[in-house]
C-alpha cells in the first residue's frame, strides 16, 4: 500500500489534476468529513464492501476497502454498516436479481437510518438498463459507478457525501490505469495482482467485454514493483489476474509476452508461489508451457476453460479453437509437466447443442481427466449474441445432460485427486478449519485443499504435510 500521509495534504488548494495525487487529495477531504460525522455520533463509522462475482471483483473490493480504511472507516463483513458498497457481477442474470434482493432489504434499513450511504459499482453498473432501473426503483442509492473509474472512488464518495442527490459516474470504456492507491488485503500472506484489465474475445455467451472494456495491460515495471512491495509485506504467494492472461502485453508500447513477464516475476526473492488465471486456450503458447515446466515457483496448476467439447459448438461460441486443438494443448502440457493439475469450465445446453455435441464434451472430459471442473447450465445473458439465438435447448434435456456431466466429472476428479495419497507435500496453511476444531486448511501447489491438525501460528507458512486420506475434492493430512 502507498504510504501517503493524508495529514500533510493542503486542503485549501484546488484538487490536483494528476492521478493518483488527485485521489489522495479527496481521501484527505473525505477523512475530515468522516471524522466530523464520527464525532457527532460518538463512535467510529463502519463500512462494508459486499463482493459478488470473480476474483477480479474480489481484488477490486480490496482496493475499495483500503480507501475506506484510509479515510477513517472501521471495516465489517456484514451489512450492518453506515456505508455499504455492493461490488456487483453480471455474468448471469441471477447475479443481477441477487443484488436487487439486497437493495430491497437495504431500502427498509435506509428508512430507519437516513444517514446510511449505499454505493453500487462493478460490472452490473456498466449496463445502461440497470442504471435506469436503479434511478427509477431504488432512489435511495447514493452512488453508482462502474468498472473503468474505480480509482476515482474517494472523489466519488466525497462528491456523494456533500450532495443531496444520487451521483452516477459510469464510463463506457477507458485506456487509463492508475497505480499506487491503497489496498486492504484479505490475507497477509497471499494476494491477487491485476496484470491486465478487459477482454477482446467476445465469446457469444459472455457479457464481460461489454462491461469490462477492451484489453489493456499494466506496464511490467509497475507489476514487478507491486509484487516486490507485497513480498516485503509478508506475501509468499501471488495470483496474477486478467480475463485472459495469455494475451498479456500485446497492447503495451513495448510488447511483452505473458511467459516473459512470469520469468521476471520468478526472479523476485522471497516470493514462493506464482499462480494465474484465466488462460484462454487460443492464446496458450509453447513459450508459456516451457516457462511453466522449468519454473520452481509457478504452481503446477492450469485452469483451462473448455466450455464445450464440440468443435461445432465452439465455433458458434466464438471460442476460436477446436476440440482437436484443445486436446493437443493438453498433450503438450502433460508431456512437459506430467503431474500438472488441470481444471476447467464447462457449459451445458448452449443453443443448438445436440446429444452428439454433448457426447463430444464427455469425450474430452474422459481424455483429459480434470482434477475438478466448474460446470454451468447455459443461461441467457441479455446483451449477448447467444441470448437471441434460435434452437434454445429444452430445460428438461439440459437438466438431464447436466446431471450426467456432473456425475462423470465428480467420478474422474475423485480418482485423479487421490493420486497423492501417502505423499509428503508442501502446503500453504491458509486459515482455521471451521468444521473441525484444532484443524487448519491449506492448499497444495496444484490447488487441492488439505485439512490437517495444526496451530494457528502456522497460518501463512509453507509446511510439510503427509496426505493420509483423499475425500473426493480434498485431503485429510498430518503435519510432518
Amino acid at each position: 500500500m502507498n504510504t501517503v500521509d493524508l495529514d500533510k495534504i493542503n486542503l485549501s488548494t484546488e484538487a490536483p489534476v494528476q492521478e493518483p495525487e488527485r485521489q489522495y487529495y479527496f481521501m484527505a477531504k473525505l477523512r475530515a468529513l468522516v471524522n466530523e460525522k464520527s464525532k457527532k455520533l460518538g463512535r467510529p463509522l463502519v463500512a462494508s464492501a459486499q463482493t459478488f462475482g470473480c476474483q477480479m471483483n474480489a481484488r477490486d473490493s480490496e482496493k475499495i476497502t483500503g480507501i475506506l480504511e484510509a479515510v477513517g472507516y472501521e471495516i465489517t463483513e456484514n451489512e450492518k454498516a453506515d456505508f455499504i458498497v455492493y461490488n456487483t457481477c453480471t455474468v448471469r442474470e441471477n447475479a443481477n436479481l441477487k443484488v436487487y434482493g439486497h437493495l430491497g432489504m437495504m431500502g427498509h434499513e435506509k428508512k430507519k437510518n437516513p444517514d446510511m450511504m449505499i454505493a453500487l459499482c462493478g460490472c452490473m453498473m456498466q449496463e445502461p438498463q440497470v442504471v435506469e432501473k436503479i434511478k427509477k426503483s431504488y432512489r435511495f442509492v447514493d452512488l453508482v459507478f462502474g468498472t473503468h473509474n474505480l480509482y476515482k472512488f474517494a472523489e466519488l464518495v466525497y462528491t456523494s457525501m456533500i450532495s443531496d442527490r444520487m451521483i452516477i459516474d459510469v464510463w463506457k470504456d477507458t485506456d487509463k490505469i492508475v497505480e499506487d492507491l491503497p489496498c486492504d488485503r484479505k490475507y497477509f500472506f497471499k494476494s491477487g495482482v491485476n496484470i491486465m484489465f478487459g477482454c477482446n474475445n467476445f465469446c457469444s455467451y459472455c457479457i464481460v467485454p461489454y462491461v469490462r472494456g477492451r484489453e489493456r495491460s499494466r506496464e511490467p515495471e509497475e507489476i514487478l514493483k507491486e509484487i516486490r512491495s507485497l513480498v516485503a509485506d509478508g506475501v509468499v504467494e501471488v495470483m496474477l489476474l486478467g480475463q485472459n492472461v495469455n494475451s498479456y502485453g500485446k497492447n503495451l508500447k513495448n510488447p511483452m509476452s505473458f511467459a516473459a513477464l512470469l520469468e521476471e516475476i520468478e526472479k523476485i526473492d522471497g516470493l514462493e508461489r506464482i499462480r494465474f488465471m484465466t488462460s484462454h486456450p487460443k492464446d496458450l503458447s509453447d513459450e508459456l508451457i516451457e516457462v511453466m515446466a522449468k519454473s520452481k515457483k509457478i504452481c503446477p496448476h492450469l485452469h483451462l476453460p473448455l466450455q464445450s467439447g464440440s468443435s461445432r459448438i465452439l465455433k458458434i461460441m466464438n471460442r476460436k479453437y477446436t476440440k482437436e486443438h484443445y486436446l493437443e494443448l493438453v498433450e503438450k502440457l502433460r508431456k512437459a509437466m506430467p503431474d500438472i493439475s488441470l481444471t476447467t469450465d464447462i457449459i451445458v445446453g448452449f443453443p443448438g447443442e445436440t446429444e452428439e455435441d454433448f457426447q463430444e464434451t464427455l469425450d474430452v472430459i474422459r481424455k483429459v481427466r480434470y482434477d475438478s471442473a466448474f460446470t454451468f447450465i447455459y443461461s441467457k445473458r441479455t446483451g449477448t449474441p447467444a441470448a437471441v439465438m434460435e434452437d434454445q435447448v429444452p430445460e428438461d434435456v439440459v437438466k438431464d445432460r447436466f446431471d450426467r456431466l456432473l456425475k462423470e466429472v465428480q467420478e474422474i476428479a475423485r480418482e485423479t485427486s487421490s493420486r497423492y495419497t501417502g505423499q509428503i507435500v508442501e502446503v500453504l496453511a491458509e486459515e482455521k478449519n471451521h468444521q473441525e476444531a484444532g484443524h487448519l486448511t491449506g492448499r497444495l501447489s496444484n490447488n487441492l485443499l488439505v485439512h490437517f491438525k495444526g496451530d494457528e501460528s502456522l497460518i501463512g507458512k509453507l509446511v510439510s504435510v503427509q496426505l493420509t486420506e483423499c475425500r473426493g475434492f480434498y485431503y485429510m493430512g498430518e503435519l510432518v
Side-chain angles (χ1 to χ4, degrees), residues 37 81-82 106-118 140-142 163:
K37 280 192 169 190
D82 301 290
M106 285 303 111
H108 298 297
E109 290 298 317
K110 183 116 181 181
K111 280 177 185 171
K112 290 188 270 183
N113 179 13
D115 289 331
M116 171 196 256
M117 283 186 69
I118 298 171
F140 55 83
V141 169
D142 300 281
S163 172

Side-chain angles (χ1 to χ4, degrees), residues 51-58 60 64 86-92 95-96 99-100 120-131 134 144-150 170-172 198 206-213 243 381-382:
T51 310
F52 302 84
C54 67
Q55 284 176 295
M56 298 281 279
N57 271 24
D60 286 347
I64 287 166
Y86 290 109
N87 187 3
T88 64
C89 170
T90 192
V91 169
R92 288 172 186 79
N96 289 23
V99 172
Y100 292 137
L120 293 166
C121 65
C123 295
M124 188 175 158
M125 299 308 112
Q126 292 295 141
E127 296 184 85
Q129 69 272 23
V130 167
V131 176
I134 289 160
V144 176
F145 62 104
T147 58
H148 304 306
N149 55 346
L150 177 74
V170 179
W171 299 359
K172 192 173 180 184
C206 185
I207 197 80
V208 167
Y210 305 97
V211 296
R212 284 277 178 185
Q243 306 300 149
R381 189 62 197 82
T382 306

Side-chain angles (χ1 to χ4, degrees), residues 8-36:
K8 291 182 179 175
I9 294 173
N10 185 355
L11 298 181
S12 61
T13 60
E14 284 190 16
V17 175
Q18 295 297 317
E19 301 289 1
E21 293 79 10
R22 182 177 177 85
Q23 295 315 308
Y24 280 103
Y25 172 87
F26 280 105
M27 276 183 234
K29 295 202 78 149
L30 189 52
R31 192 164 76 165
L33 284 180
V34 169
N35 286 341
E36 191 182 314

